[in-house]
């Protein structure tokens, strides 16, 4: 089992939901973290819960490559290195293709797919230097298409393919790459407010524990693609 104390991790879209669940799990296991997002107020609230000593908040839009370059620079300035990158930022809008607006299509592709590329490209040098780990948070929608989900499906199918190809590009540098594909998760995704009816779903803390387990795993073992579902359907 690998020691992850004092590792440094960067999590995008981590003010709420799955990203926050991952951040919380990492902090509890001795990892120093940076969390980013577009909502500075939400980031500050998250930092208050997580603690301020080993938590850096960064206002960044993953759709903008320069934002991600600056984010990595801030992390190195604060912690001296970067070991783990978790591309979690994502949005979802659902409509038939003939009703899907150009703005919604571009928002999903630019955030869910191109944003993940921006984050990894900005951090790749650090990951190669530190034999690090890149994890993308995809979705079962990246393997199972559904009506009204053309843009979301496309972004998540693309993210799965991107991460698997990145694994082949980076494995010879001892950089691991994994994509996690959750089913129904209790989160704030798409404007949802978590409530009692969400108990049957995967919890953000469950994804957080999964990330911890991946980081602790034997260096010779790589679960490159993980599908995870609730045990029951309500």
């Amino acid at each position: 089992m690998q020691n992850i104390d004092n590792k440094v991790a960067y999590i995008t879209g981590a003010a709420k939901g799955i990203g926050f669940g991952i951040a919380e799990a990492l902090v509890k296991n001795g990892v120093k973290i940076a969390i980013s997002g577009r909502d500075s107020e939400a980031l500050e609230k998250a930092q208050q819960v997580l603690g301020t000593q080993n938590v850096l908040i960064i206002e960044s839009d993953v759709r903008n490559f320069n934002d991600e370059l600056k984010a990595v620079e801030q992390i190195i300035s604060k912690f001296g290195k970067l070991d783990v990158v978790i591309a979690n930022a994502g949005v979802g809008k659902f409509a038939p293709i003939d009703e899907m607006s150009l703005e919604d299509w571009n928002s999903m592709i630019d955030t869910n797919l191109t944003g993940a590329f921006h984050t990894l490209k900005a951090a790749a040098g650090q990951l190669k230097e530190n034999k690090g780990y890149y994890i993308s948070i995809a979705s079962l929608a990246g393997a199972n298409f559904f009506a009204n989900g053309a843009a979301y499906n496309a972004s998540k199918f693309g993210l799965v393919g991107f991460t698997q190809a990145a694994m082949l590009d980076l494995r010879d540098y001892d950089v691991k790459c994994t994509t996690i594909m959750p089913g129904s998760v209790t989160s704030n995704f798409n404007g949802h407010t978590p409530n009692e009816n969400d108990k049957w779903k995967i919890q953000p803390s469950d994804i957080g524990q999964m990330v911890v387990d991946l980081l602790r795993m034997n260096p010779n073992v790589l679960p490159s693609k993980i599908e995870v579902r609730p045990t029951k359907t309500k």
Side-chain angles (χ1 to χ4, degrees), residues 6-233:
N6 294 316
K7 292 284 188 182
V8 177
Y10 174 38
I11 312 156
T12 65
K16 299 177 182 178
I18 291 175
F20 181 81
I22 295 170
E24 197 167 35
L26 292 180
V27 167
K28 288 179 179 177
N29 283 274
V31 178
K32 299 173 182 177
I33 67 167
I35 61 173
S36 73
R38 290 182 283 172
D39 186 337
S40 58
E41 184 177 344
L43 287 168
E44 289 170 1
K45 288 180 179 178
Q47 186 183 42
Q48 290 172 6
V49 177
L50 295 168
T52 58
Q53 185 174 359
N54 290 317
V55 178
L56 173 66
I57 60 173
I58 301 170
E59 191 171 348
S60 179
D61 185 342
V62 297
R63 297 174 296 180
N64 186 323
F65 179 58
N66 285 330
D67 276 11
E68 289 301 275
L69 280 176
K70 291 175 183 177
V72 172
E73 290 171 359
Q74 287 180 254
I75 294 164
I76 296 170
S77 177
K78 170 73 173 178
F79 297 121
K81 62 172 183 171
L82 177 58
D83 303 294
V84 179
V85 172
I86 300 161
N88 169 74
V91 295
K93 302 289 179 65
F94 304 96
I97 56 172
D98 55 328
E99 298 176 15
M100 173 72 62
S101 70
L102 293 177
E103 291 78 12
D104 285 347
W105 171 274
N106 289 330
S107 175
M108 276 181 276
I109 299 300
D110 291 348
T111 303
N112 301 356
L113 180 54
T114 305
F117 165 67
H118 287 163
T119 301
L120 178 54
K121 184 171 178 61
Q126 278 290 302
L127 295 183
K128 289 164 70 173
E129 181 177 335
N130 298 316
K131 298 182 178 181
Y133 210 137
Y134 173 76
I135 298 172
S136 66
I137 306 301
S139 168
L140 288 180
N144 305 292
F145 50 83
F146 52 88
N148 299 328
Y152 190 70
N153 284 145
S155 70
K156 293 300 186 178
F157 269 74
L159 180 56
V160 172
F162 167 74
T163 307
Q164 297 297 284
M167 174 192 67
L168 300 179
D169 289 340
L170 297 173
R171 66 193 308 180
D172 288 339
Y173 298 94
D174 294 318
V175 176
K176 288 186 172 186
C177 294
T178 297
T179 188
I180 299 175
M181 303 166 65
S184 298
V185 180
T186 299
S187 74
N188 303 87
F189 184 72
N190 208 27
H192 176 70
T193 300
N195 57 63
E196 288 294 311
N197 295 326
D198 293 324
K199 285 185 175 181
W200 64 276
K201 298 178 181 178
I202 300 163
Q203 301 303 306
S205 58
D206 299 325
I207 304 299
Q209 184 59 54
M210 185 174 295
V211 170
V212 170
D213 292 342
L214 286 170
L215 298 183
R216 291 193 182 280
M217 197 164 287
N218 187 313
N220 295 329
V221 178
L222 176 60
S224 57
K225 182 168 65 174
I226 301 171
E227 294 188 4
V228 55
R229 296 168 169 81
T231 304
K232 297 182 179 180
T233 57

